[in-house]
Amino acid sequence: MRKLFALLVVVIANSQLFAQSWQPIIPNKIADKYIPAHYQDIGGLLGYRMNVNLEKRLLQIDSATLLSGFRKRPGSQTWIGEHVGKFLFSASKTYAYTHDAPIKHLMDDMVRKYIVCQMPDGYLGTYLLKDRWTEWDVWAHKYAIIGLLNYYAVTGYKPALQTAERAADLIFRTFGNEPGKRDLMIAGEHNGLAPGSILEPMVDLYRYTGNKRYLDFCNYIFRAFEQSSGPKIVSQLEKYGDVTKVGDAKAYEMLSCFLGILKYYKLTGQEKYLTLLQTAWKDITKNRLYITGTSSDNEIFREPGILRAENKDKMGEGCVTVTWTQFNLQLLQITGEPKYAEEMERSVYNHLLAAENPQTGCVSYYTALQGAKPYRCDQGFSCCLSSVPRGISLIPEMMGGKINGAFTVLMYENGEAKATIRTKDNASINVTLKSETKFPLDGRVDLSITTSRAAMFTINFRVPEWAENFTAKTGGEVFRGKKGQLLAINRKWSPGDHLAITFDMPLQVIPGGISYPNSVAFKRGPQILAVDQGLNPGLTALNNVVYTKTNEPLTDAKAMLPSDWDWKEAYGVEMKVNNSLRKVVMVPFSEAGQKSAEIAVWVNK
């Protein structure tokens, strides 16, 4: 009944939500080339997991726990102050997609209780006065401002914006080069990467208010980055093009700074910053990215090709996965280049979803490729347990939208999107795209195109790197796509047109590289597969499984899944187990281990 109510609310109100949203008043000098369409009614695997994120994670948040460190300072844990802001980000993004009444009520209540915790001088941290501006205090203020601004953007609640301003004003008064002010770079962890990441919300706050002091503070941060106590982001990337040379190579905090630098680039148009971060992106994707779309080993960027994947390696920190996904989303918005959508898809379908248990909504801080996933259900103590829901809440913005004015489909799930576009004769018309598919179970997508009138215009379709034989058919015409590119279909579209897309997803066998030279992994479409020991009766140890390079195709093995395994996707792959050939059941890494079994992505060869 609740789902039916939510659907009715979406139909009545959600189409008006973005028209009523509260936007920044200072425009960027660099206009986005990709503008998300904010898909609705997303189905399939992504829709299922977004609902898990809402029902089993976000709606289970206890505001008393998250607010405890503000109500009684000091907080019980040094970074407990970040969790309210992270929750407000996730809840605001989720509400923008669902218009769900319970999540609106929960975040409204949280904001009103949070605001009254602010000290008269603007302080919105969880430390005693004598301990202010140490460890994670500036970092928590960063997330406070981010959360309040996201809440303001979907509600227009002015006290949220004013609270963010008071917190930022305190930061401005406290830190800087002027006499009597503190050095921001030594006010937190990781060679200034953690406190320096407050650059992102300072750019946003300047755009929302037009208050020049916030822009002045952004300029100060860039100077501080390069001083002796700073991480030297710009100079080190210019000199080496290597993220391990920046600060102490801490991945999450560095990527957080990258988000702020990209926003500063869009605001000011200073091209060197985009060039530097594209260099960083190339370094990460070439040398430091796991096949599941995450990075970090013990939370830092490692040497090229070192991608250890056991639980003891503390790899794939959830915060890194989310921030890496955000980094790619921003680069896509700036450039419109499909390679960034490819990386978003890799992360979302694999490491992001793998970090949240669909059975419980619990989250793993680190999500190893080998071993049991260490899911935890606590609130207000582990940074990643608040971060992973943030990444999932961004999925509607990644599905598709306009690139250089042309509607572009980026991900192939059930869903519906609306956009106003320009036709060949420069008229403005409304277009609705609705997709129906079983993807990623198969490679068939049927799209219906509804237009306000017949007109000539282009619709783009991203052709994934993993797709074979990508073909689109409509009105007797056949269009073939090239991997890694956009397939542009320019034609006269009429109300009620349909387009059928098909592509193959053959099994890909991936070598284990430096860290797993005697192993292989398996990929189908965007999904990395894993052996789940609990789904393979009689399999006493995962290292007893050996891939034998047979030509046997994948077989459907969903009948082997337990009745309460909600996403029915499983495959049989012929391998040797204790030197005897048998079908080994594999499932997407995103779903593996949800019942606490040992799993393996890397299999012996």
Side-chain angles (χ1 to χ4, degrees):
M1 189 68 186
R2 218 177 70 74
K3 290 182 179 178
L4 176 61
F5 170 74
L7 178 61
L8 290 172
V9 171
V10 166
V11 171
I12 295 169
N14 202 53
S15 62
Q16 302 173 4
L17 180 61
F18 288 98
Q20 297 175 354
S21 62
W22 285 262
Q23 301 294 328
I25 62 174
I26 301 296
N28 283 320
K29 285 188 177 180
I30 305 298
D32 284 343
K33 292 184 178 179
Y34 169 66
I35 301 173
H38 297 275
Y39 271 67
Q40 297 297 310
D41 301 324
I42 298 170
L45 176 60
L46 299 188
Y48 156 56
R49 295 301 295 272
M50 288 167 62
N51 190 60
V52 168
N53 194 48
L54 170 62
E55 299 281 352
K56 296 183 180 180
R57 187 64 196 175
L58 295 177
L59 288 176
Q60 305 307 314
I61 292 297
D62 175 29
S63 62
T65 299
L66 267 59
L67 292 166
S68 62
F70 299 94
R71 288 173 164 168
K72 186 178 180 180
R73 295 178 173 94
S76 59
Q77 182 246 41
T78 55
W79 61 83
I80 196 170
E82 74 179 22
H83 296 290
V84 172
K86 286 184 171 182
F87 169 76
L88 291 177
F89 179 100
S90 302
S92 298
K93 296 290 186 181
T94 300
Y95 175 66
Y97 166 67
T98 63
H99 221 67
D100 183 79
I103 197 64
K104 175 69 161 54
H105 174 76
L106 182 56
M107 68 177 185
D108 286 347
D109 182 67
M110 185 87 74
V111 165
R112 282 152 182 79
K113 292 175 179 176
Y114 188 39
I115 285 174
V116 299
C117 293
Q118 189 169 42
M119 303 291 282
D121 64 353
Y123 183 73
L124 199 52
T126 59
Y127 290 74
L128 295 175
L129 179 61
K130 67 182 180 66
D131 298 320
R132 280 189 188 183
W133 316 126
T134 58
E135 299 176 312
W136 297 98
D137 211 3
V138 175
W139 175 267
H141 279 77
K142 173 192 75 171
Y143 275 114
I145 299 169
I146 287 174
L148 289 165
L149 286 180
N150 274 274
Y151 178 80
Y152 172 73
V154 297
T155 65
Y157 185 61
K158 197 67 176 289
L161 177 62
Q162 293 166 338
T163 302
E165 289 181 89
R166 286 193 292 270
D169 289 345
L170 175 61
I171 297 289
F172 178 81
R173 294 195 305 270
T174 303
F175 298 99
N177 294 131
E178 298 87 352
K181 288 190 175 184
R182 293 172 176 255
D183 178 357
L184 180 67
M185 295 295 101
I186 62 173
E189 306 291 331
H190 304 296
N191 294 22
L193 288 172
S197 68
I198 201 169
L199 173 66
E200 180 191 1
M202 284 294 188
V203 174
D204 288 338
L205 200 53
Y206 170 67
R207 294 195 62 222
Y208 270 99
T209 65
N211 191 326
K212 190 174 178 297
R213 71 166 66 99
Y214 305 134
L215 179 59
D216 291 341
F217 195 78
C218 294
N219 295 328
Y220 158 69
I221 292 174
F222 276 96
R223 295 193 301 272
F225 278 154
E226 297 303 314
Q227 64 193 30
S228 59
S229 57
K232 301 177 177 60
I233 296 176
V234 174
S235 59
Q236 293 295 85
L237 286 177
E238 285 179 332
K239 185 175 182 180
Y240 298 106
D242 181 337
V243 294
T244 67
K245 306 294 186 183
V246 174
D248 62 356
K250 186 68 162 58
Y252 175 27
E253 286 76 3
M254 190 188 309
L255 287 167
S256 299
C257 290
F258 288 175
L259 298 182
I261 294 171
L262 284 180
K263 288 189 175 183
Y264 184 84
Y265 157 71
K266 291 202 296 184
L267 177 66
T268 65
Q270 296 184 47
E271 196 70 26
K272 75 172 183 179
Y273 295 120
L274 174 60
T275 301
L276 282 176
L277 294 195
Q278 287 175 320
T279 297
W281 181 88
K282 290 175 184 176
D283 178 47
I284 295 168
T285 53
K286 179 182 178 182
N287 298 316
R288 314 178 208 284
L289 193 68
Y290 289 87
I291 59 173
T292 50
T294 191
S295 192
S296 77
D297 170 333
N298 283 278
E299 302 192 6
I300 68 172
F301 290 120
R302 293 290 177 184
E303 311 86 74
I306 302 300
L307 297 165
R308 297 171 297 203
E310 322 290 323
N311 274 306
K312 62 183 175 59
D313 301 313
K314 298 181 179 179
M315 57 82 58
E317 183 187 4
C319 296
V320 173
T321 306
V322 172
T323 317
W324 169 248
T325 305
Q326 289 181 281
F327 185 42
N328 279 281
L329 179 56
Q330 281 206 34
L331 286 167
L332 174 66
Q333 289 171 332
I334 291 168
T335 68
E337 295 180 26
K339 65 184 180 182
Y340 301 117
E342 192 83 26
E343 294 306 329
M344 290 189 321
E345 179 185 69
R346 186 196 312 274
S347 299
V348 168
Y349 275 94
N350 294 293
H351 225 91
L352 178 63
L353 296 187
E356 186 172 273
N357 191 328
Q359 298 268 336
T360 63
C362 300
V363 174
S364 53
Y365 194 120
Y366 311 105
T367 311
L369 307 189
Q370 311 292 102
K373 293 178 181 176
Y375 290 119
R376 295 168 53 182
C377 300
D378 60 80
Q379 300 176 17
F381 295 95
S382 301
C383 57
C384 298
L385 274 68
S386 292
S387 280
V388 170
R390 296 172 61 231
I392 296 173
S393 74
L394 283 167
I395 288 173
E397 298 180 32
M398 305 182 207
M399 297 282 293
K402 290 191 287 188
I403 291 182
N404 295 322
F407 195 94
T408 303
V409 177
L410 297 174
M411 292 188 183
Y412 295 97
E413 288 277 13
N414 288 293
E416 182 175 310
K418 297 181 179 180
T420 301
I421 64 171
R422 288 283 172 185
T423 64
K424 186 176 181 180
D425 59 2
N426 205 34
S428 178
I429 65 168
N430 297 320
V431 178
T432 300
L433 276 81
K434 183 176 182 180
S435 61
E436 295 183 3
T437 179
K438 295 180 180 179
F439 180 83
L441 300 178
D442 67 35
R444 297 189 298 272
V445 185
D446 294 316
L447 290 106
S448 60
I449 295 94
T450 303
T451 63
S452 50
R453 65 172 177 83
M456 180 78 73
F457 58 90
T458 298
I459 302 177
N460 293 324
F461 299 90
R462 183 180 69 88
V463 182
E465 292 282 359
W466 45 258
E468 300 287 348
N469 305 316
F470 190 100
T471 303
K473 298 179 180 178
T474 182
E477 298 178 279
V478 179
F479 304 87
R480 302 190 187 280
K482 295 182 179 180
K483 291 183 180 183
Q485 298 182 19
L486 296 179
L487 172 60
I489 299 181
N490 183 272
R491 66 187 296 272
K492 187 174 184 179
W493 298 93
S494 299
D497 275 353
H498 286 265
L499 183 138
I501 292 176
T502 58
F503 45 79
D504 298 327
M505 295 183 284
L507 181 68
Q508 299 179 47
V509 180
I510 304 170
I514 295 173
S515 296
Y516 294 91
N518 300 313
S519 301
V520 294
F522 304 92
K523 183 179 182 183
R524 179 184 177 276
Q527 295 177 301
I528 297 297
L529 304 181
V531 180
D532 184 309
Q533 189 173 355
L535 300 176
N536 288 274
L539 180 56
T540 56
L542 290 172
N543 60 9
N544 292 336
V545 178
V546 179
Y547 177 61
T548 57
K549 300 182 182 179
T550 64
N551 293 320
E552 287 287 322
L554 289 178
T555 57
D556 187 344
K558 62 176 176 288
M560 298 295 294
L561 297 174
S563 59
D564 62 345
W565 195 285
D566 287 342
W567 181 252
K568 304 297 185 185
E569 183 181 4
Y571 303 98
V573 180
E574 190 172 76
M575 301 193 207
K576 278 188 177 181
V577 178
N578 296 325
N579 293 317
S580 297
L581 282 175
R582 61 170 280 187
K583 290 283 186 180
V584 174
V585 176
M586 304 191 79
V587 293
F589 172 64
S590 64
E591 308 305 298
Q594 61 185 260
K595 289 182 172 291
S596 302
E598 295 279 322
I599 69 166
V601 164
W602 294 113
V603 175
N604 292 332
K605 65 177 181 178

